[in-house]
Amino acid sequence: MASILILTGSPSARSRTSALAQHVGDELALDGHDVTVLALRDLPAQALLSADTADPQIAAAVRQVIAADALVVATPIYKASYSGLLKVFLDLLPQSALQGKVVLPLATGGTVAHLLAIDYSLRPVLVSLGARHITTGRFVLDTHIDHVSGGPVVVDEATLECIARTAAGFRLALGEARLTPALAS
C-alpha cells in the first residue's frame, strides 16, 4: 500500500479543513494505506517564515514530503487563494519534491465564489513542484463540515457523496501509479 502524507494548511487550532483532511485520511487508512498528517501550523513559525531549511523540524517535514508516495494537500481558501501558511511551506520544498507523486487537493471555504481556487491558485504550484498526477480536487463549504460536535464530520449528504467520489478517484490514481512506477521519474 501507499504511504500518504496529508498536509493541512490551516493556521487555526480548531479547523474544518483539518477535520475534512482527517476524514479523508481515515477512509484511506481503512484501505490499508499508511497515512500520516503533517499540520503545518505546528512547524516553528520563525524557521518557516525565514525559510530556514536547516531547522530540524522544517528539514524533517521536507523529508516527509519527499518520502511519501502521495499527498493530500488540504487548505482553507482565503481571499480566493490557498492559505499563506501552505504557500510558505511549499516555497521551502525542492523544485522536484512532488515528482512522481499523486496529489489530491482539498479546500474549504465560506462561499462557492472560491470554488475554482484549487484550479487557479493551488494546482499550478503543485505542477511546478513536479506532481505526477493531480487528481480532481474537492472544494467543500464550511457549513458542510462539523469539526466540534464529535458526530459525523461531513454533515451534508450530497457533499459526503462528492468527497467519496473524490477519494475514489485518488485511490484509482494511486493504483495506476503503483502499476507504472517507471513512468514516475
Side-chain angles (χ1 to χ4, degrees), residues 28-67:
L28 294 168
L30 289 174
D31 292 339
H33 297 292
D34 178 24
V35 178
T36 305
V37 176
L38 174 59
L40 299 178
R41 69 178 302 281
D42 294 337
L43 295 175
Q46 181 62 36
L48 197 57
L49 291 173
S50 62
D52 182 4
T53 55
D55 177 272
Q57 286 180 276
I58 300 295
V62 170
R63 283 193 304 272
Q64 279 185 280
V65 170
I66 292 169

Side-chain angles (χ1 to χ4, degrees), residues 16-122:
R16 287 178 174 91
T17 303
S18 297
L20 175 64
Q22 188 64 56
H23 170 79
V24 171
D26 290 347
E27 292 298 314
L28 294 168
L30 289 174
D31 292 339
H33 297 292
D34 178 24
V35 178
T36 305
V37 176
L38 174 59
L40 299 178
R41 69 178 302 281
D42 294 337
L43 295 175
Q46 181 62 36
L48 197 57
L49 291 173
S50 62
D52 182 4
T53 55
D55 177 272
Q57 286 180 276
I58 300 295
V62 170
R63 283 193 304 272
Q64 279 185 280
V65 170
I66 292 169
D69 296 320
L71 274 82
V72 175
V73 179
T75 181
I77 302 297
Y78 300 120
K79 298 189 183 353
S81 187
Y82 57 96
S83 74
L85 179 58
L86 179 59
K87 173 66 171 150
V88 170
F89 181 74
L90 293 176
D91 285 348
L92 295 177
L93 295 176
Q95 195 62 43
S96 61
L98 302 184
Q99 188 166 352
K101 299 186 189 320
V102 178
V103 180
L104 168 60
L106 296 175
T108 61
T111 173
V112 292
H114 298 311
L115 186 64
L116 297 176
I118 290 174
D119 290 331
Y120 288 109
S121 65
L122 184 56

